[in-house]
Amino acid sequence: MSTILLHGPEIFKFPHDGFGNHRKFHTISVSWTMNMDSKSSRTIKKEELSIQNPGTSIPQMESLRSSDLRFDRLQPSDQELLQENKFEFGRFVAREPVLDEEYWTAAWLRAESHWEDRTNERYVDSHKRKFAEQEFNAIKRRCRGQHGEKYMCFVAVKKEERNVKRTVLKSVVGTLDLSVRYLLHGETFPGERIKAPFFSCINKTDPHRYGYVSNLCVAKSARRQGIACNMLHFALESAKSNDVQQVYVHVFKNNRPAQELYQKMGFKMVEIASSQLQEQTDLLCIKI
């Protein structure tokens, strides 16, 4: 957000040209100034040095707010998207977002889920909008990869219907995140407390690669239609295609619907992790 665990990292927007190594010339001006001393014959001497230094351009990162998006934008047709990595089920299709408005709607679903049981709190709408803006920019940043991780955001979208035009906001009904990570040296499960050096390195070998699911949530109006189950199936298949053999997820103990969903899909509790986790959270795992 997908919601079991939610994250609210710093807000950034990356320019569309990405992190390409475009080389530019930067001009550095250096000047020396000598003041005239009225008691001497010294004169003012001023020199300017201009240096052209080839360097790598640094992309500007700025936050993108909801006011920059087109909320009346119509959902593109399947022919316009041409996405191969997708999974169709019933009246819906699971895939990665294409438009910024789809990323935003995924972030808004997470905000709705996060504040679902606190609708009577003061300024809840303002809190949700701020949460969604932070999550939107965080999703965009994480999708570009960090620390060697591969990160994928998935959305469930209503299939197009003949003579029916929908906006993006009304088309996206579910969201889920999948990241491919590596265990640290000495770890047997994610987040294990181990006696390791202060600067512990990542063990980038196949047996230590794992998938991690988070931010699974479905719009209230679209629940009980198999969306969460099918999105999770799509995520597991995507993990398998990335040579992942096991997938983990953290679930709150009091979230019975989520507990039942993951157990139905084949996830089992990591018993050894129970003693190290906070009392309200379970770590589940499935081997694929």
Side-chain angles (χ1 to χ4, degrees):
M1 216 149 138
S2 255
T3 306
I4 306 307
L5 293 175
L6 289 148
H7 311 277
E10 298 171 9
I11 310 172
F12 293 106
K13 177 195 175 187
F14 293 87
H16 294 294
D17 54 1
F19 283 91
N21 292 325
H22 306 295
R23 297 179 67 82
K24 292 183 178 179
F25 288 97
H26 306 289
T27 300
I28 304 174
S29 295
V30 183
S31 64
W32 294 269
T33 302
M34 296 178 64
N35 294 324
M36 181 184 296
D37 189 340
S38 59
K39 295 183 180 180
S40 69
S41 58
R42 285 182 296 173
T43 57
I44 297 176
K45 181 180 180 182
K46 183 176 182 180
E47 295 182 7
E48 292 187 357
L49 176 62
S50 180
I51 304 172
Q52 283 193 325
N53 178 33
T56 303
S57 64
I58 301 175
Q60 297 296 317
M61 295 179 291
E62 56 187 56
S63 62
L64 179 64
R65 296 186 177 275
S66 57
S67 58
D68 300 318
L69 303 172
R70 291 170 46 199
F71 290 112
D72 59 345
R73 186 168 188 168
L74 295 178
Q75 183 67 31
S77 65
D78 295 339
Q79 290 75 19
E80 291 175 306
L81 294 176
L82 297 174
Q83 278 197 325
E84 295 182 1
N85 186 28
K86 61 182 180 180
F87 175 61
E88 298 185 16
F89 56 97
R91 298 171 43 242
F92 309 96
V93 56
R95 56 172 175 77
E96 293 186 64
V98 176
L99 307 173
D100 278 344
E101 287 79 7
E102 291 180 329
Y103 282 103
W104 168 265
T105 310
W108 181 254
L109 287 177
R110 299 173 190 193
E112 288 275 324
S113 178
H114 184 68
W115 294 90
E116 186 171 323
D117 299 326
R118 294 180 284 177
T119 54
N120 294 326
E121 289 190 18
R122 196 176 184 184
Y123 307 124
V124 64
D125 289 337
S126 176
H127 292 321
K128 284 195 293 187
R129 183 165 296 278
K130 183 177 180 179
F131 185 102
E133 287 181 351
Q134 291 177 332
E135 184 65 12
F136 166 73
N137 286 282
I139 295 172
K140 295 296 293 294
R141 183 184 60 177
R142 292 195 296 263
C143 282
R144 293 185 176 274
Q146 57 182 358
H147 309 305
E149 293 182 6
K150 183 173 183 179
Y151 175 92
M152 292 160 278
C153 173
F154 298 130
V155 291
V157 182
K158 293 179 182 178
K159 287 183 179 178
E160 62 178 323
E161 299 178 19
R162 184 177 298 179
N163 300 324
V164 176
K165 294 292 185 180
R166 297 191 188 93
T167 61
V168 174
L169 287 176
K170 293 184 177 180
S171 297
V172 177
V173 294
T175 179
L176 174 151
D177 290 344
L178 170 68
S179 55
V180 178
R181 308 176 180 180
Y182 293 88
L183 295 171
L184 296 175
H185 278 287
E187 283 186 337
T188 58
F189 60 85
E192 182 179 7
R193 297 174 190 168
I194 56 174
K195 292 182 179 181
F198 184 75
F199 296 101
S200 184
C201 58
I202 298 173
N203 195 345
K204 289 193 174 183
T205 57
D206 287 344
H208 295 86
R209 190 198 336 254
Y210 69 93
Y212 186 79
V213 169
S214 60
N215 296 322
L216 172 58
C217 59
V218 177
K220 272 189 175 182
S221 61
R223 291 176 184 173
R224 299 189 180 279
Q225 299 184 58
I227 295 175
C229 181
N230 282 282
M231 287 196 70
L232 190 54
H233 172 78
F234 181 51
L236 295 177
E237 290 299 313
S238 298
K240 190 183 298 184
S241 66
N242 280 275
D243 300 321
V244 168
Q245 298 180 358
Q246 52 190 4
V247 177
Y248 292 89
V249 63
H250 283 98
V251 188
F252 287 114
K253 291 179 183 292
N254 61 357
N255 192 340
R256 294 309 307 167
Q259 292 272 2
E260 293 172 2
L261 169 65
Y262 288 113
Q263 291 173 11
K264 177 183 176 181
M265 296 296 295
F267 282 80
K268 299 185 182 301
M269 186 181 299
V270 181
E271 297 290 348
I272 192 175
S274 300
S275 60
Q276 296 190 11
L277 292 173
Q278 297 178 352
E279 292 183 1
Q280 68 267 29
T281 309
D282 287 331
L283 178 64
L284 308 181
C285 177
I286 184 174
K287 293 186 178 180
I288 54 179

